[in-house]
Amino acid sequence: MMDGAVPRKKTEADTSKWRPQTRAVRGGQIRSNFDETSEALFLTSGYAYSSAEEAEATFKGESNHYQYSRFGNPTVSMFENRLAALEGAEACRSTSTGMSAVFFALLALLKSGDRIVAARQLFGSCHYIVSDLLPKYGIQSELVDGGDLAQWEKALSKPTQAVLFESPSNPMLDIVDVKAVCDLAHKAGAKVVLDNAFATPILQRPLEFGADVVVHSATKYIDGQGRTLGGAVLGSKEFILDKLQPIIRNCGPSLSPFNAWVLVKGLETLGLRIERHCANARRVADTLAAHPAIGRVLYPGRPDHPQHKLAAKQMSDFGGVVTFDLKAGKWAAFEMLNRLQIVDISNNLGDAKSLATHPATTTHMRIGAEERTKLGITDGTIRLSVGLEDAEDVVADLVQALGA
Ligand SMILES: Cc1ncc(COP(=O)(O)O)c(C=O)c1O
């Protein structure tokens, strides 16, 4: 949150000219008086003032002094400023989880009597917020098929305050035309919130296509090694500082300094990791597509993905998740999962370790069979988050698990 990102060099760098990889390694760094090279972990909940006058001035907003780690913390600021530099956002506020990022971003945009339109291709908990929770507080919600611009156009023909979607979506990797939906949303008076967890700013920068707010589950690729939970909301200074920060400050879904430290170090290697995730996923997707037990492979980087061209237009590469269907359904999917020797059965994703899950009985169980059918999730669907192992070992594991 706070600006303190002054590189203490004899001559100061023009950080606006830094390329993404330099931003990922050096963006937002605050050095303490000890001049440490690696980002320091400020494991403190409070801050001491040099005088009562300084405390008063800080609470009046006249000083940049940190007050309390629910409001801000130097390690948390480093993570927020580095991620903002990567997304090209004016400001960032981090949160304890990806779900608190989604929820608090929507809370900051909506009030009773308002309306939200969302793609139905949402992670299960986002689905719950839009379809069950917000309507309880007098916010009307409508779900559309995220890939169908006609449905967006119809739903956005009424005044609307917020639009929410993921692209690529979890778990079916559907792609939304970010620019086209942003244009329709803005005509309806809505702000667009885009969940960029699957692409990360390395592959897709939604603010450049017109999105107003980007949210992240930093738990996924930003950590990248399955260690911590975290989330982030990015957007204009006006939205983040004036609308979101007061809610976070008073309601408290703040990111812990320790988790922020893990995540800020995670950003340093994000580009390298994503490059390898993409290469490994492509190799795995091509192998699975040629296997007779597999009915359908969804990977936005393959020309047979229904929205491959759109994905290529708005993403620089296609990510680390591959989703596929076993022709023989649930028993075959379970049998394959149970035979895996390297890939773990886990509902997390974006880890260095390859992880596979059966969405119909895990992440997307609660949305019900009817909604799953609308999303294309079958009983044979497996979502595979391809990790950073040697791709040939992952491929060999999948092939042996598929059996004869
Ligand atoms: C697209 C997407 N958004 C949000 C979340 C929620 O993130 P978290 O688990 O960090 O709360 C997830 C988690 O799987 C997700 O896949």
Side-chain angles (χ1 to χ4, degrees):
M1 284 298 303
M2 294 197 172
D3 287 328
V6 186
R8 299 196 308 164
K9 297 247 162 131
K10 285 185 194 107
T11 51
E12 260 181 37
D14 179 358
T15 57
S16 68
K17 293 213 172 95
W18 283 353
R19 292 170 181 81
Q21 187 51 37
T22 308
R23 291 179 193 192
V25 175
R26 292 186 173 271
Q29 184 162 11
I30 301 168
R31 284 204 165 123
S32 79
N33 291 340
F34 296 110
D35 285 327
E36 63 282 349
T37 49
S38 179
E39 292 71 7
L41 169 51
F42 291 94
L43 211 46
T44 181
S45 36
Y47 305 85
Y49 304 95
S50 58
S51 64
E53 286 77 11
E54 188 180 39
E56 183 186 32
T58 304
F59 273 76
K60 277 180 160 171
E62 291 166 0
S63 150
N64 255 355
H65 200 286
Y66 284 92
Q67 288 161 276
Y68 189 55
S69 286
R70 172 153 41 81
F71 314 170
N73 167 286
T75 309
V76 173
S77 297
M78 287 192 256
F79 169 60
E80 291 170 341
N81 291 334
R82 185 165 294 176
L83 187 57
L86 281 173
E87 282 286 4
E90 282 177 16
C92 171
R93 180 67 235 232
S94 56
T95 54
S96 54
T97 64
M99 283 324 304
S100 54
V102 172
F103 180 61
F104 282 89
L106 294 178
L107 206 67
L109 284 173
L110 294 164
K111 61 180 183 332
S112 175
D114 282 350
R115 184 164 184 275
I116 177 169
V117 176
R120 64 165 28 86
Q121 288 83 359
L122 285 180
F123 172 58
S125 298
C126 300
H127 211 281
Y128 165 78
I129 290 175
V130 171
S131 304
D132 297 337
L133 192 61
L134 294 180
K136 277 194 201 163
Y137 295 90
I139 294 156
Q140 203 199 330
S141 69
E142 182 173 345
L143 295 178
V144 299
D145 181 350
D148 185 341
L149 279 180
Q151 284 190 32
W152 281 110
E153 197 165 1
K154 189 160 170 248
L156 291 169
S157 61
K158 294 183 212 158
T160 304
Q161 285 67 40
V163 157
L164 172 70
F165 61 87
E166 296 163 13
S167 186
S169 70
N170 183 2
M172 303 308 281
L173 308 172
D174 295 281
I175 308 292
V176 174
D177 188 331
V178 181
K179 184 170 181 324
V181 172
C182 288
D183 288 347
L184 290 169
H186 293 153
K187 275 191 210 141
K191 298 279 187 210
V192 175
V193 181
L194 197 157
D195 186 332
N196 205 22
F198 271 47
T200 83
I202 302 298
L203 303 182
Q204 175 172 269
R205 303 210 320 159
L207 300 173
E208 289 173 2
F209 292 97
D212 301 285
V213 178
V214 169
V215 288
H216 275 287
S217 167
T219 315
K220 308 294 183 306
Y221 290 101
I222 290 177
D223 172 356
Q225 294 177 60
R227 299 162 294 189
T228 63
L229 298 174
V233 185
L234 300 107
S236 67
K237 273 191 176 160
E238 189 260 331
F239 174 70
I240 300 291
L241 303 184
D242 299 346
K243 302 220 162 71
L244 182 69
Q245 171 66 358
I247 302 181
I248 293 198
R249 175 188 167 125
N250 291 299
C251 299
S254 316
L255 183 64
S256 86
F258 180 78
N259 287 2
W261 180 79
V262 172
L263 296 172
V264 77
K265 299 306 284 179
L267 285 176
E268 290 186 347
T269 56
L270 183 63
L272 289 170
R273 289 185 284 105
I274 290 288
E275 203 178 304
R276 178 63 71 88
H277 279 295
C278 293
N280 284 3
R282 188 172 300 109
R283 170 82 180 90
V284 164
D286 290 344
T287 304
L288 291 172
H291 197 284
I294 306 286
R296 169 183 66 160
V297 172
L298 291 168
Y299 183 64
R302 281 179 55 83
D304 58 3
H305 185 285
Q307 295 152 300
H308 170 63
K309 283 202 179 118
L310 177 59
K313 207 170 85 182
Q314 54 194 37
M315 297 173 72
S316 58
D317 206 337
F318 304 100
V321 179
V322 179
T323 299
F324 55 96
D325 277 348
L326 275 103
K327 284 181 189 160
K330 181 176 170 181
W331 75 266
F334 271 36
E335 208 157 293
M336 178 188 183
L337 289 171
N338 291 338
R339 280 205 210 108
L340 290 166
Q341 294 170 355
I342 294 175
V343 179
D344 290 309
I345 305 171
S346 172
N347 46 283
N348 196 16
L349 62 94
D351 197 321
K353 295 182 169 59
S354 292
L355 307 175
T357 195
H358 182 252
T361 53
T362 60
T363 53
H364 289 69
M365 181 180 67
R366 286 179 198 283
I367 63 170
E370 198 183 321
E371 198 58 31
R372 278 198 299 277
T373 305
K374 286 186 193 157
L375 297 180
I377 302 171
T378 71
D379 286 348
T381 303
I382 290 180
R383 184 196 73 196
L384 175 65
S385 168
V386 183
L388 301 178
E389 303 94 342
D390 190 309
E392 298 315 312
D393 288 334
V394 177
V395 163
D397 192 29
L398 294 168
V399 170
Q400 71 74 25
L402 282 164

